Amino acid sequence: MARVIYRIDLAQLRQNFAVLQRAAGNCKLMPVLKYDAYGLGALAIGTALKQAGAVRFAAATLDEALILQQLGLPVQILGLLPANEIAETVRAGIIAPVANMATAQALSREACRQQTAVKIAVKLDTGMGRVGFQAVDAARTAQQIAEIVKLPGLEPDSLFAHFSTASQPDLFFAELQLRRYREVYDLLTAAGINFPYRHHGAGDAVMKLPGATAEPFNLARPGGTMYGEEFDTPCRQIVELRTFIGDIREIPAGGSINYFRTFIAPKAMKVAVLTAGYADGIPLALSNRGQVIINGCMCPILGRVTMDYVVVDISHVPDAAVGMEAILLGKRGEAKISVGDWGRLKNTHGHDIWCAIGHRAVREYAG
């Protein structure tokens, strides 16, 4: 009954995970499954990744972490921990992020109140400029962390940071971030302070930056890299998005299509109306620029993408019929449309594309 079907290839996901694990060497992998695994379905994705060898999972919020706990592996929250999530984080045994002294003190008080201990992951800001203790002042940061680990009820688990440019061609700043991390780590080690888990890099760093998987690091946290933005890369695209032809129409020369008349037919044309739109995740940026695949043919999008429909040119697909499938993301034969293609048209990246696929698209898992 679905108008839009979002197919996720779990076998390809496991293969991508294996590629990343080989690249990570001795580092174990902690997949990041925030926002319901980027909208792909956290429990289905997490189950496949646990089978593939994931040792723990990362989330962005407490709600996400509690869902991932069902998979039976440790779960770390990344980034900030709002005050209203502290009590339940301690109660549930989630690995709690500490990005400032106030959070550390609040976690300590709550752990003591619950008569328990909470594992903490201390966040360093090595250059992201967003969250964490400023690693550019290594001595001061090391002193702050030394004060934190003395607080009652806190158990050091992880020391981690976040690259800002690991996906870029120039890795100069990423290397600088690694040096800043190591300066803090060395000071802590000299003071006898041990964090069993150390991680800095996501999937891009695993593939491109050897220092991110060398000592002292023993974890890496791949996210979007696992899902693949292209078909012909070591980590291949795992998603296909398809809809159907809902109607076929003849447009006369001079006829216009969709809101604001951004497309005027230069000649008589045969068009198909597809039963998907931007509510399903098709970027508005594909208006008059994107394509879909129908019966192996690339069909240009005409006019604006609307909330529920897209109109495409099928003048060159004589056997097109109502009910025939249209591939929005995916491939048929030599014709292919990648997540990266959409990202380039939208001037964004895969994370944005995956997260925008709407809830009307029925998730279908294979492999």
Side-chain angles (χ1 to χ4, degrees):
M1 297 294 292
R3 289 182 168 210
V4 186
I5 298 171
Y6 197 25
R7 184 180 184 275
I8 295 122
D9 187 340
L10 298 178
Q12 185 61 59
L13 172 66
R14 289 189 288 268
Q15 291 179 35
N16 292 351
F17 184 91
V19 168
L20 287 161
Q21 185 60 81
R22 287 193 295 270
N26 292 327
C27 275
K28 299 298 183 181
L29 298 185
M30 176 177 68
V32 179
L33 302 185
K34 60 186 179 179
Y35 191 62
D36 196 31
Y38 297 53
L40 299 177
L43 290 179
I45 295 294
T47 298
L49 293 173
K50 182 180 178 180
Q51 295 167 350
V55 297
R56 49 171 60 187
F57 295 116
T61 69
L62 175 61
D63 287 346
E64 294 172 356
L66 292 173
I67 291 170
L68 293 175
Q69 269 195 324
Q70 299 175 49
L71 298 173
L73 293 179
V75 182
Q76 176 187 332
I77 296 174
L78 301 172
L80 294 172
L81 186 65
N84 63 342
E85 296 182 359
I86 285 176
E88 184 60 26
T89 297
V90 173
R91 186 176 300 110
I94 303 294
I95 302 165
V98 172
N100 52 61
M101 188 63 71
T103 298
Q105 293 167 341
L107 282 166
S108 175
R109 288 192 299 269
E110 185 60 31
C112 291
R113 190 187 71 80
Q114 294 187 28
Q115 297 183 323
T116 188
V118 57
K119 291 184 177 181
I120 61 168
V122 174
K123 178 69 180 290
L124 298 180
D125 176 8
T126 60
M128 186 70 171
R130 184 176 64 183
V131 173
F133 294 91
Q134 297 274 5
V136 67
D137 188 344
R140 183 170 185 273
T141 289
Q143 180 58 42
Q144 288 175 312
I145 295 172
E147 294 172 10
I148 287 170
V149 300
K150 292 177 183 176
L151 293 172
L154 303 187
E155 180 182 334
D157 177 85
S158 307
L159 184 70
F160 73 110
H162 195 131
F163 286 113
S164 62
T165 62
S167 63
Q168 303 303 304
D170 185 352
L171 295 175
F172 167 79
F173 192 73
E175 295 282 4
L176 175 60
Q177 287 188 261
L178 286 175
R179 291 196 296 274
R180 288 174 175 172
Y181 181 104
R182 293 191 189 102
E183 288 174 3
V184 175
Y185 174 79
D186 289 344
L187 290 172
L188 293 174
T189 301
I193 298 170
N194 177 52
F195 284 88
Y197 298 98
R198 288 89 58 187
H199 48 100
H200 202 310
D204 288 327
V206 167
M207 299 298 287
K208 296 174 55 180
L209 193 62
T213 53
E215 287 292 339
F217 302 108
N218 57 9
L219 271 184
R221 46 175 201 274
T225 306
M226 296 184 297
Y227 311 136
E229 294 188 35
E230 306 290 349
F231 295 106
D232 303 316
T233 56
C235 290
R236 297 180 181 177
Q237 178 169 311
I238 72 167
V239 302
E240 176 184 275
L241 187 67
R242 66 183 188 272
T243 187
F244 303 93
I245 296 177
D247 194 12
I248 291 177
R249 301 169 58 81
E250 299 286 343
I251 302 296
S256 60
I257 292 176
N258 265 330
Y259 295 112
F260 311 131
R261 304 183 70 236
T262 62
F263 181 84
I264 307 296
K267 59 183 180 180
M269 302 176 71
K270 187 178 183 181
V271 304
V273 182
L274 308 184
T275 55
Y278 60 71
D280 304 291
I282 303 174
L284 191 61
L286 268 61
S287 301
N288 289 307
R289 300 169 69 203
Q291 301 183 82
V292 307
I293 303 169
I294 297 176
N295 201 22
C297 301
M298 300 294 285
C299 300
I301 292 174
L302 307 177
R304 286 173 67 90
V305 173
T306 67
M307 181 177 285
D308 307 307
Y309 300 104
V310 172
V311 178
V312 301
D313 181 6
I314 56 168
S315 300
H316 57 303
V317 191
D319 53 350
V322 170
M324 184 176 287
E325 71 175 14
I327 305 302
L328 304 167
L329 286 172
K331 59 182 178 179
R332 290 293 185 274
E334 295 299 314
K336 56 186 177 181
I337 302 169
S338 72
V339 171
D341 292 333
W342 277 20
R344 284 182 286 274
L345 288 172
K346 194 179 177 184
N347 193 29
T348 186
H349 50 73
H351 299 65
D352 181 26
I353 302 300
W354 293 307
C355 289
I357 303 299
H359 63 83
R360 294 195 306 201
V362 175
R363 273 63 175 167
E364 176 184 282
Y365 299 95

